[in-house]
Amino acid sequence: MSTKIEKETVKDKDDFKEALDFFNVDEDELAKKVMSSPKFDTKATDKIISIRRIAENYENRLRGKELVKKGDQEIYVQVGKALAGDTFIRLTTGIIKGFADESNLISNKTIDDFRIQFIDAHRKMSGASLRDRSLGEKDLRMIRKLFKDVLWNVGDIITNTQGNMKAIFSREDFDEQSEKEDSLFKKER
Amino acid sequence: MGLFKKKKEKEEKGANDVAKEVSSNAIFIRVYKNFGSDVSFLMAEYQAKETKDKYNNLVSINTLFSHDEDMDFAEEDVYRELQVILDFKNLSKADRVAKLERKLEIQERLIKYLDRHIEFNALYNYADETVKLRDLRVLLNKVRNHDEKGAFFTIEKGKRVYSFESVDGFLVPLFRGVDSYSTYPDYTRKKKITIQEDQIFEKEMQRYKLETRFASINVIFFVVNMLILIVVMTAGFKAFGVYQNAQEIIHGDALMCAEYTSQINQQYGHLVEMTLLAKLQEQNQSKKPDDGIIPLNPNS
């Protein structure tokens, strides 16, 4: 005699099959969509890639995906429902991706300069959240806080001028090159 | 003929007045509320003024009743688009309702599957699908109740009367159909919503600005303090100088007095020396006590 849990498991399986028929999709196809690999390497140290990675992480969190470690790799897995509609997600992710530009890294930005950009970006997000009808009231505050936190992280990267300058303008072969130049003027006696 | 002319003039005047009233910016507002039933109860009735806000939108305002509503009654784009997507143009009302009901059923099933099996959320966005379901329900309500001929207002006593239904503090305009005498709240109207989050956020950022200006405020504070210190010290030195001068004046007189006294003493001593001492010496010389004393000279 099957137990209650076994009966519910069978019921769930039947329901899942029905859903597959309804959505007209294969189980393998679905598995590929449920798990996706990140577009940007999580171990990369390049600042622009860091900002793009932050934007990707933000987008996937709003779509209900989370970064999970599978052996050596890290993959995004669908763990919940989306918190906002596609239009809002694309718009706000685009605002964050706009910071991934070399002009932001090589300009000597202070926290005051970044604050002006921050306020402007927040205003755009706020306007989008007012117009978008897919945002639930219970999720709106959380999404706004998430956006602010992500922007501050981007700001930390942008305002780290010394590190950015070193990353962009420093050469690994500098010591070798300088030795070579010195040796040209050295006369063997 | 004169009387008829006057009557005609009066009628024309009356008609002109009515036309003026109807086209004036003063309107009547009636607010209804249904407490969970199909019957609506009149909650408020007041006059309002039609005007344009700073964004050039037509609004009606009555400050006493805190009434500030848009009067354009434009349909949301999404409903217009849905009607085109569902190809309503050549369908009768009954067909439209049937089509919408079928669509609703499919949408509800989709949402149920998305809710029960998280995996399918990778294919469809749950938030977007719930919005679509809501839009379909609103459109179905409109299609069921809407008349092709009708308006959002009526004319009573020469004034335009707009009726609204109060739902959770929002005023939804009531559409009055002519053919079926239907009166239904039209939820497809564009809504403008404001939240206070922006103001709170901008206040926070102003606070950060103050903190970064704290250093400059400190410098100004320090400079002002230094100025006050300089002023106080200058005053102190001046006061000390005045004290010194006063001391000099006082001591000057005392010194002068002491000098005079010492001069007097000197002169007095001199006088005493000249007079008394001389006399005493005279007295001493007359006695000559040393006459009986023979000087001893062992060698004589």
Side-chain angles (χ1 to χ4, degrees):
Chain A
M1 203 161 96
S2 56
T3 60
K4 199 179 176 187
I5 294 166
E6 278 172 5
K7 277 185 189 167
E8 275 187 25
T9 317
V10 167
K11 205 176 163 187
D12 279 341
K13 277 185 182 167
D14 291 339
D15 196 54
F16 189 73
K17 278 180 190 161
E18 265 180 43
L20 283 171
D21 290 332
F22 179 83
F23 288 107
N24 194 23
V25 76
D26 207 0
E27 219 172 310
D28 297 325
E29 272 176 61
L30 184 65
K32 280 180 198 169
K33 298 261 182 180
V34 166
M35 286 186 284
S36 58
S37 52
K39 285 178 199 163
F40 303 101
D41 187 15
T42 50
K43 287 167 192 164
T45 53
D46 185 43
K47 303 297 174 188
I48 291 173
I49 290 178
S50 301
I51 295 171
R52 286 189 183 147
R53 203 172 55 228
I54 289 170
E56 190 193 22
N57 199 26
Y58 166 81
E59 184 185 352
N60 282 320
R61 278 185 73 182
L62 286 188
R63 289 193 191 281
K65 291 185 177 177
E66 268 188 30
L67 198 62
V68 163
K69 252 193 175 170
K70 199 180 176 187
D72 289 336
Q73 280 184 328
E74 280 180 330
I75 51 169
Y76 283 107
V77 176
Q78 189 78 37
V79 296
K81 299 172 202 163
L83 299 170
D86 276 340
T87 318
F88 180 80
I89 292 171
R90 264 186 271 124
L91 214 134
T92 49
T93 312
I95 293 169
I96 297 167
K97 276 183 189 168
F99 286 97
D101 193 67
E102 266 193 11
S103 62
N104 273 311
L105 299 178
I106 59 173
S107 59
N108 186 18
K109 247 179 203 141
T110 60
I111 197 78
D112 285 326
D113 299 326
F114 177 70
R115 192 178 293 120
I116 295 164
Q117 283 181 299
F118 186 104
I119 292 170
D120 186 52
H122 187 271
R123 264 201 204 125
K124 283 179 194 154
M125 187 275 295
S126 194
S129 70
L130 286 176
R131 286 190 298 273
D132 199 88
R133 293 174 309 130
S134 64
L135 284 173
E137 209 180 289
K138 58 181 171 63
D139 296 324
L140 179 61
R141 283 178 210 277
M142 195 272 279
I143 290 167
R144 288 170 76 95
K145 191 179 182 313
L146 179 65
F147 184 81
K148 273 190 236 176
D149 290 343
V150 161
L151 268 187
W152 277 127
N153 289 339
V154 168
D156 285 341
I157 293 171
I158 287 170
T159 51
N160 180 14
T161 310
Q162 205 179 10
N164 293 341
M165 291 293 191
K166 210 175 168 183
I168 289 167
F169 295 113
S170 70
R171 285 152 52 191
E172 280 177 12
D173 59 343
F174 183 73
D175 291 331
E176 284 175 26
Q177 187 74 16
S178 64
E179 272 181 36
K180 202 176 169 184
E181 278 171 8
D182 285 341
S183 69
L184 286 170
F185 295 100
K186 266 185 196 165
K187 283 181 184 175
E188 282 182 41
R189 286 177 192 168
Chain B
M1 280 303 276
L3 275 171
F4 286 126
K5 199 179 174 187
K6 272 190 184 172
K7 197 179 173 186
K8 198 181 175 187
E9 274 176 12
K10 210 177 175 183
E11 275 174 6
E12 276 176 9
K13 202 180 173 188
N16 281 340
D17 283 345
V18 166
K20 272 187 195 169
E21 289 273 9
V22 166
S23 61
S24 75
N25 65 353
I27 57 173
F28 267 118
I29 303 286
R30 282 195 190 126
V31 179
Y32 293 89
K33 201 164 176 130
N34 67 346
F35 298 98
S37 69
D38 289 332
V39 180
S40 295
F41 296 90
L42 181 67
M43 298 298 293
E45 190 176 13
Y46 46 84
Q47 203 164 340
K49 216 172 181 182
E50 259 184 355
T51 182
K52 289 218 170 169
D53 65 5
K54 60 179 176 179
Y55 302 108
N56 217 30
N57 297 316
L58 189 66
V59 293
S60 62
I61 296 173
N62 183 325
T63 46
L64 196 66
F65 286 86
S66 306
H67 176 90
D68 186 357
E69 283 294 318
D70 292 328
M71 302 304 283
D72 49 9
F73 304 131
E75 198 178 31
E76 282 268 14
D77 297 338
V78 68
Y79 302 111
R80 245 183 290 145
E81 283 162 15
L82 264 175
Q83 290 181 52
V84 170
I85 289 164
L86 296 169
D87 199 17
F88 275 5
K89 198 175 171 185
N90 302 318
L91 295 175
S92 66
K93 192 170 173 177
D95 292 336
R96 288 180 192 182
V97 168
K99 198 169 189 178
L100 269 171
E101 280 171 350
R102 271 199 307 273
K103 263 282 193 192
L104 258 173
E105 210 184 294
I106 294 167
Q107 192 69 17
E108 279 171 0
R109 268 184 81 192
L110 190 147
I111 286 171
K112 275 182 200 165
Y113 284 131
L114 286 178
D115 188 43
R116 282 204 288 256
H117 306 285
I118 298 293
E119 298 86 356
F120 293 105
N121 283 277
L123 303 171
Y124 289 90
N125 188 314
Y126 184 82
D128 278 339
E129 299 306 322
T130 45
V131 168
K132 275 182 201 166
L133 179 71
R134 205 163 61 221
D135 291 340
L136 285 170
R137 279 193 185 137
V138 167
L139 189 61
L140 179 63
N141 179 57
K142 178 169 180 174
V143 166
R144 274 180 181 151
N145 297 303
H146 190 69
D147 260 359
E148 289 299 326
K149 292 175 194 169
F152 284 101
F153 66 94
T154 56
I155 294 173
E156 286 177 29
K157 294 174 189 172
K159 282 221 165 103
R160 282 174 290 144
V161 180
Y162 290 85
S163 302
F164 292 89
E165 184 151 321
S166 173
V167 180
D168 293 339
F170 290 103
L171 293 183
V172 182
L174 289 173
F175 184 84
R176 292 171 186 280
V178 167
D179 293 336
S180 62
Y181 300 105
S182 67
T183 307
Y184 76 97
D186 189 1
Y187 291 99
T188 61
R189 193 191 71 141
K190 266 187 193 163
K191 292 172 260 306
K192 287 175 187 142
I193 304 158
T194 54
I195 54 175
Q196 302 304 315
E197 297 290 339
D198 285 333
Q199 285 178 8
I200 293 165
F201 176 71
E202 287 199 13
K203 272 185 193 167
E204 277 176 17
M205 298 313 287
Q206 291 295 330
R207 190 166 57 86
Y208 287 133
K209 271 188 197 169
L210 268 178
E211 282 175 1
T212 55
R213 275 190 209 155
F214 195 62
S216 59
I217 290 170
N218 261 348
V219 164
I220 293 165
F221 187 67
F222 176 72
V223 165
V224 166
N225 268 351
M226 288 307 291
L227 283 170
I228 292 169
L229 184 68
I230 289 165
V231 164
V232 165
M233 283 184 76
T234 314
F237 281 128
K238 272 197 170 171
F240 187 69
V242 165
Y243 170 74
Q244 285 277 29
N245 287 344
Q247 287 284 310
E248 274 172 21
I249 290 164
I250 294 163
H251 284 297
D253 287 343
L255 273 170
M256 213 158 61
C257 186
E259 270 177 31
Y260 285 149
T261 314
S262 76
Q263 273 178 12
I264 289 166
N265 277 344
Q266 260 182 3
Q267 284 172 359
Y268 182 71
H270 200 61
L271 253 175
V272 164
E273 208 179 298
M274 277 171 68
T275 50
L276 281 175
L277 273 177
K279 232 181 183 179
L280 278 171
Q281 269 181 351
E282 266 180 38
Q283 278 179 4
N284 284 342
Q285 270 179 358
S286 62
K287 275 189 186 173
K288 286 199 183 173
D290 60 348
D291 281 347
I293 299 167
I294 301 164
L296 288 172
N297 192 3
N299 296 324
S300 61

